[in-house]
Amino acid sequence: MDKNINIKVKVWRQRSAKEKGFFETHELQNISQGSSFLEMMDILNEQIIRSGGVPVAFDHDCREGICGMCSLYIDGVAHGPDTAITTCQLHMRKFNDGDTITVEPWRSAGFPVIRDLMVDRTAYDKIIQAGGFVSVNTGGVPDANAIPIPKHDADLAMDAAACIGCGACAAACKNGSAMLFVAAKVSQLALLPQGRVEAARRAKAMVSKMDELGFGNCTNTRACEVSCPKSISVSNIARLNREFIKAKFKD
């Protein structure tokens, strides 16, 4: 049975990427353990506003674990102390009465701070634009069953496509690598016949854009896999490497 708890929230405040940030501590009383973490953040902001302060800026949208916007580092863990969930799916029952909860934005060179807990993740959009798509001729739409695809390949492609681009993988990586994200986007197309036509160009373009945007190299610590709310496997990174090497051999 859920109960009410009293907690302290140590939250990061920063006006912009160019200004120095700092931690600010607030006490919250009677927070229901049945509430979500983002609902707790809403309560915190209401309390700050009532006292005449400036509310904490943080990203959120669907609050259903789909959009990938709730990018928070909670007690040193991406998305908090639960596994295979986004921040909006984290509930306060994971915390105890009297806890001090530290909340920070993603810490990655590729994700500069916009304000407080909000970071700029447009780097991921630029990587997608570089090659995360399939070019098709317009006209009649082919029947979905016209191209037979083995179930094993279809399942792997669907698993890779589950990536929501939240950025937890890069934020958790000691090198700030975006390899798991890029690998998932490459894999979901490389595994399907529709994606083979542009496979070589895609692998080279997306890896090149990732490097250009300042993301680090993968050193296989697997912190990305552990932090991923959709449990994207690092086996996709091996597939990305194979796709990239094959593309280079073709050159």
Side-chain angles (χ1 to χ4, degrees):
M1 182 177 178
D2 294 327
K3 62 180 182 179
N4 291 350
I5 58 175
N6 300 327
I7 57 172
K8 291 182 180 179
V9 181
K10 186 179 178 182
V11 63
W12 184 257
R13 307 304 304 265
Q14 187 172 348
R15 291 177 61 87
S16 71
K18 296 181 180 179
E19 297 188 38
K20 188 175 181 179
F22 59 93
F23 280 108
E24 190 175 83
T25 302
H26 299 270
E27 294 187 9
L28 293 178
Q29 308 291 321
N30 297 317
I31 299 297
S32 171
Q33 287 187 309
S35 60
S36 73
F37 193 87
L38 292 189
E39 287 172 336
M40 181 277 292
M41 292 296 296
D42 291 336
I43 295 170
L44 170 62
N45 275 340
E46 289 172 2
Q47 179 173 301
I48 293 174
I49 291 170
R50 283 196 301 269
S51 64
V54 178
V56 178
F58 64 95
D59 265 330
H60 62 92
D61 191 5
C62 73
R63 299 202 178 196
E64 294 178 349
I66 300 171
C67 70
M69 290 187 69
C70 51
S71 48
L72 298 182
Y73 232 78
I74 303 165
D75 285 344
V77 181
H79 293 304
D82 208 344
T83 56
I85 63 162
T86 56
T87 303
C88 63
Q89 295 173 305
L90 176 67
H91 282 77
M92 295 306 296
R93 63 179 63 95
K94 282 291 178 178
F95 303 95
N96 299 312
D97 187 53
D99 279 355
T100 297
I101 305 170
T102 303
V103 189
E104 304 170 76
W106 286 161
R107 303 294 191 182
S108 172
F111 302 138
V113 173
I114 298 174
R115 186 182 180 95
D116 296 339
L117 304 177
M118 294 177 64
V119 297
D120 185 351
R121 291 179 298 126
T122 54
Y124 271 12
D125 296 330
K126 292 176 181 178
I127 293 172
I128 291 293
Q129 290 168 359
F133 55 86
V134 175
S135 297
V136 295
N137 295 322
T138 58
V141 179
D143 185 82
N145 296 320
I147 305 176
I149 300 171
K151 185 178 187 304
H152 176 70
D153 292 344
D155 288 345
L156 289 176
M158 185 63 75
D159 289 343
C163 171
I164 57 177
C166 67
C169 52
C173 177
K174 65 179 182 179
N175 298 326
S177 174
M179 281 289 280
L180 188 63
F181 167 75
V182 176
K185 298 307 178 185
V186 168
S187 288
Q188 72 183 65
L189 298 175
L191 286 160
L192 302 177
Q194 295 92 332
R196 296 309 308 165
V197 178
E198 299 173 296
R201 188 198 65 79
R202 176 183 304 112
K204 290 186 294 183
M206 294 183 75
V207 169
S208 176
K209 181 59 70 172
M210 174 183 66
D211 293 341
E212 175 191 323
L213 293 170
F215 291 100
N217 295 319
C218 174
T219 51
N220 297 311
T221 63
R222 303 184 73 163
C224 54
E225 183 182 66
V226 172
S227 300
C228 178
K230 300 303 176 182
S231 300
I232 305 296
S233 172
V234 292
S235 63
N236 289 293
I237 296 179
R239 185 176 295 106
L240 169 62
N241 288 333
R242 290 195 297 270
E243 292 290 319
F244 184 78
I245 292 171
K246 284 192 294 184
K248 285 297 184 181
F249 274 129
K250 285 184 179 180
D251 289 344

